[in-house]
Amino acid sequence: MCIDTACSLGFCAEHAAAAAMITAGENRIVRIVAVGRDGRILSPCGRCREFIRQLHPDNREAEVMVAPGVIVRLGELLPHDWLA
């Protein structure tokens, strides 16, 4: 679920999914595919990338679909990771 607000105080679907994982005792993410309302594949926003990265050190290696047929590692989307 994504709660989109005009002033960027919303709650991204990636945050909701991660919160559900943490509630279930999980924090490692292997693959991410974010899909917009229109069915278009979206890259997670910077806030979500950083949040997911901080949940578990191995999340840096999570596969992120950024476009149809295009998959990159989360670490590639955070090239100057301050936690690395």
Side-chain angles (χ1 to χ4, degrees):
M1 170 191 55
C2 176
I3 302 170
D4 196 13
T5 63
C7 63
S8 74
L9 293 176
F11 197 73
C12 295
E14 294 90 337
H15 270 73
M21 286 179 60
I22 292 167
T23 299
E26 301 292 335
N27 62 358
R28 184 161 184 274
I29 297 170
V30 176
R31 289 180 191 88
I32 301 167
V33 179
V35 181
R37 181 177 296 165
D38 60 359
R40 188 171 46 102
I41 294 172
L42 307 169
S43 178
C45 72
R47 178 177 170 236
C48 288
R49 294 174 192 180
E50 184 64 37
F51 180 68
I52 291 164
R53 163 63 182 100
Q54 291 187 36
L55 295 178
H56 191 284
D58 291 347
N59 287 348
R60 198 173 153 69
E61 299 303 316
E63 296 176 347
V64 182
M65 184 173 281
V66 295
V70 180
I71 297 172
V72 299
R73 303 273 181 208
L74 182 62
E76 294 176 67
L77 297 174
L78 295 168
H80 303 287
D81 186 354
W82 63 279
L83 291 174

